[in-house]
Amino acid sequence: MSAQHSETPVPAPLPLKTIGDIRAALRSGHGFPGDRETFEADLQHALETSTETDLNAIAAVIVDYRGRIRLYQDPEFDIAVQEGIDLAARLKQEAQER
């Protein structure tokens, strides 16, 4: 018999095509702590500093927070963060032992 792997179910990606989708995801608790508030502040700043012909700052805010939400949803993200923390702790300990 072969061993079965128990995989963590991957949640379906959230629809993040509009500002409303991003707001809804952040209201539902997706994203990092504080993202809900900082998204609105960053979006407001981008709107205030953009011109009618250059909306790149607004697009950058949308892309940034869409990425944050997707990172937060990724089950592998927590594992990668913990690996980074463990590596930093090990490197610090090795440096102190020298």
Side-chain angles (χ1 to χ4, degrees), residues 7 12 64 89 95-96:
E7 294 183 12
D64 180 36
Q96 290 174 347

Side-chain angles (χ1 to χ4, degrees), residues 14 16 22 25-26 30-32 35 39 59-74 77:
L14 295 170
L16 300 171
I22 293 171
L26 293 172
H30 299 281
F32 296 96
D35 275 358
F39 171 71
V61 170
I62 293 167
V63 168
D64 180 36
Y65 282 89
R66 185 183 313 160
R68 289 173 181 240
I69 292 166
R70 290 198 174 127
L71 266 177
Y72 191 80
Q73 277 190 292
D74 185 349
F77 181 75

Side-chain angles (χ1 to χ4, degrees), residues 17-70:
K17 296 181 180 181
T18 67
I19 291 173
D21 290 343
I22 293 171
R23 283 179 172 141
L26 293 172
R27 274 194 311 269
S28 297
H30 299 281
F32 296 96
D35 275 358
R36 183 176 171 185
E37 296 78 15
T38 57
F39 171 71
E40 294 301 333
D42 290 348
L43 183 60
Q44 183 64 37
H45 178 73
L47 286 166
E48 290 171 355
T49 59
S50 294
T51 66
E52 293 175 2
T53 58
D54 184 8
L55 303 175
N56 287 324
I58 297 166
V61 170
I62 293 167
V63 168
D64 180 36
Y65 282 89
R66 185 183 313 160
R68 289 173 181 240
I69 292 166
R70 290 198 174 127

